[in-house]
Amino acid sequence: MSWDGQGARDGFVVPPMPTAPPPGPAHPWRAVAVALLNLSGLGLGYAVVRRWALMAVCWVATGILLLVALTAYP
């Protein structure tokens, strides 16, 4: 194993580190609204950001939970 002057070892070069952290959400109030709507369990926050597949997954999970809860004997 040998190192050269540029930080390369045996032909492998380490990429430079990013200069700044990734930016936050463009609309912080929209992010808060999405988070609060997703607490409903119906995937309404995913509807706001137009993630239809994730919204459908929430609907299926909610349906399964309702099926299990409503068919249980007290």
Side-chain angles (χ1 to χ4, degrees):
M1 286 191 233
S2 62
W3 293 83
D4 67 1
Q6 277 82 31
R9 186 184 91 193
D10 296 330
F12 178 76
V13 178
V14 177
M17 295 297 292
T19 57
H27 305 286
W29 288 110
R30 184 176 180 184
V32 170
V34 167
L36 290 175
L37 285 171
N38 272 341
L39 288 176
S40 69
L42 298 175
L44 297 176
Y46 292 124
V48 171
V49 292
R50 296 186 179 125
R51 303 267 177 139
W52 308 118
L54 291 173
M55 185 180 67
V57 168
C58 285
W59 285 358
V60 169
T62 302
I64 290 170
L65 285 171
L66 284 174
L67 180 69
V68 169
L70 294 177
T71 58
Y73 292 107

